[in-house]
Amino acid sequence: MRAIRRRILTPSNEDTKLSTRGFRIKNDESRELLETVGATFLAGFGHAVEAKTTNDAEARLEEIPTRFRGFAYEGAAMGLTILDALPMGGSRRLAGLLAGEGHDHIYMAYVGMGWAMARLPRFRWSKVQAPDPLLRWFALDGYGFHQAYFKTDRYVHQQYREPHFPWPFEGPASYVDRAIDQGVGRAMWFVGGTDPDYVADMIEKFDASRRADLYSGAGLAATYAGGVDEDELRRFAKRAGPHRPEVAQGSAFAAKARVRAGLVVPHTHLATEVLCGMTPEQAARVCDETRPDFGDQGELTAHDVWRQRIAEQFVPLGGAGR
């Protein structure tokens, strides 16, 4: 039955092919990288929904190569969130993952929750458990990524925004669109095939008020997923112009996720050196030292405060910041 459940719930690998999606293909190397990311995400999803226990799923996830393991945990979190939200599905599978090996991948897990939300009927969103008030906004990043990845024409090329987005149920509503845009920007790194100029061109077509969050998401993807060399990273940073600090902020978030999970790879060092002017460990420390010790207060969103504090550390690199 678990194998049947996996076959029914797991999306097709064909859906992650750049040619299927109509994404830019910069070269064979970047195409292979991005398609491996997609395939690994789906493998993590499949391991999670097929496993008898969370421990069984973790054993399979830990076999994934270091560079791609975070994507597998992201997919696993999506799968477990869907199972938790299904009728008669229980509600402790994702919590079990986060209590075990998944705790080190908590940032990716929250992003995976957002993927699940994009696939679940909205009346089941009340079953999505995102208990950390600071990290829950990463779920909207995941939602935005999913929509831009699978509904690219509408969300990227037509720059669509959903009116009156209904989650989180208690608000604050003013930050919702911006959190989703961070995921849209991250997906645009994939849509653009890791071509920094193509990605920047897409971002520059958006209203100026949205570009900071889009550049932040793209900076995160450029660091976490990679697919570029030093010259391309420098060119992307230059193209960001006044949003250079937001690119560095996104890069620092990516570094924090990889450092926490023990998944730092050579590209992580290259990206944070170029985009942040420091090592991944130092960038992760910036995230730790600027983390708010308070929750959302009315329309003041702790996650936004956190990102602004990080970006301010990188203003000397160039750009005006926010």
Side-chain angles (χ1 to χ4, degrees):
M1 289 298 296
R2 293 192 301 273
I4 293 173
R5 182 172 67 190
R6 176 174 183 163
R7 286 199 298 272
I8 292 173
L9 293 178
T10 307
S12 169
N13 269 330
E14 193 64 28
D15 290 340
T16 67
K17 301 292 186 182
L18 267 63
S19 57
T20 301
R21 303 255 54 85
F23 294 171
R24 180 171 177 78
I25 298 177
K26 183 179 70 175
N27 53 43
D28 287 342
E29 184 179 4
S30 62
R31 177 190 55 76
E32 182 179 359
L33 169 68
L34 296 181
E35 291 181 351
T36 301
V37 168
T40 306
F41 178 97
L42 293 180
F45 180 101
H47 293 333
V49 299
E50 184 179 17
K52 183 177 181 179
T53 67
T54 302
N55 287 340
D56 290 342
E58 289 173 346
R60 299 290 300 278
L61 294 170
E62 288 298 311
E63 294 174 354
I64 303 292
T66 300
R67 182 169 189 176
F68 301 101
R69 194 178 305 153
F71 299 108
Y73 270 93
E74 182 183 356
M78 176 190 177
L80 296 178
T81 300
I82 288 176
L83 290 181
D84 283 347
L86 291 175
M88 309 298 292
S91 60
R92 301 297 302 167
R93 290 180 177 85
L94 182 62
L97 182 74
L98 294 179
E101 296 291 342
H103 182 68
D104 288 338
H105 303 270
I106 192 167
Y107 297 97
M108 302 301 283
Y110 269 77
V111 171
M113 293 179 199
W115 274 74
M117 290 169 61
R119 293 295 176 105
L120 287 167
R122 291 193 175 189
F123 69 85
R124 304 302 300 179
W125 284 8
S126 61
K127 300 296 183 181
V128 176
Q129 301 297 314
D132 190 306
L134 183 64
L135 300 185
R136 65 177 176 170
W137 298 100
F138 283 120
L140 291 183
D141 179 301
Y143 179 90
F145 184 101
H146 177 282
Q147 299 302 80
Y149 190 92
F150 289 103
K151 301 176 182 179
T152 308
D153 187 58
R154 191 177 196 196
Y155 280 81
V156 175
H157 302 307
Q158 297 179 30
Q159 296 133 31
Y160 175 73
R161 262 185 166 170
E162 297 186 42
H164 313 299
F165 195 83
W167 194 94
F169 302 114
E170 70 281 9
S174 60
Y175 189 62
V176 168
D177 286 341
R178 294 188 51 212
I180 292 173
D181 270 354
Q182 290 151 35
V184 172
R186 191 163 55 88
M188 288 166 74
W189 190 252
F190 287 69
V191 174
T194 79
D195 183 326
D197 290 309
Y198 192 87
V199 174
D201 286 343
M202 287 191 293
I203 292 175
E204 293 301 315
K205 293 177 182 177
F206 279 73
D207 185 83
S209 64
R210 301 179 65 178
R211 293 174 195 166
D213 292 309
L214 296 169
Y215 270 116
S216 171
L220 196 160
T223 302
Y224 199 96
V228 282
D229 59 25
E230 181 176 349
D231 288 341
E232 289 174 306
L233 284 167
R234 294 193 184 281
R235 194 159 73 246
F236 187 64
K238 183 176 180 179
R239 286 292 308 271
H243 304 301
R244 177 78 171 79
E246 280 78 21
V247 171
Q249 175 269 309
S251 179
F253 263 179
K256 173 60 183 175
R258 282 201 173 271
V259 168
R260 176 179 174 129
L263 302 180
V264 173
V265 294
H267 177 79
T268 321
H269 287 276
L270 173 64
T272 59
E273 177 61 33
V274 172
L275 300 180
C276 301
M278 57 182 62
T279 67
E281 292 75 18
Q282 289 170 329
R285 197 172 306 123
V286 169
C287 295
D288 292 336
E289 292 173 351
T290 55
R291 182 173 175 140
D293 57 2
F294 59 86
D296 298 335
Q297 301 174 358
E299 291 302 309
L300 179 65
T301 311
H303 192 265
D304 189 28
V305 171
W306 191 18
R307 293 177 60 248
Q308 288 185 45
R309 288 178 177 178
I310 296 170
E312 287 168 0
Q313 302 301 307
F314 299 112
V315 169
L317 294 174
R322 297 189 74 254

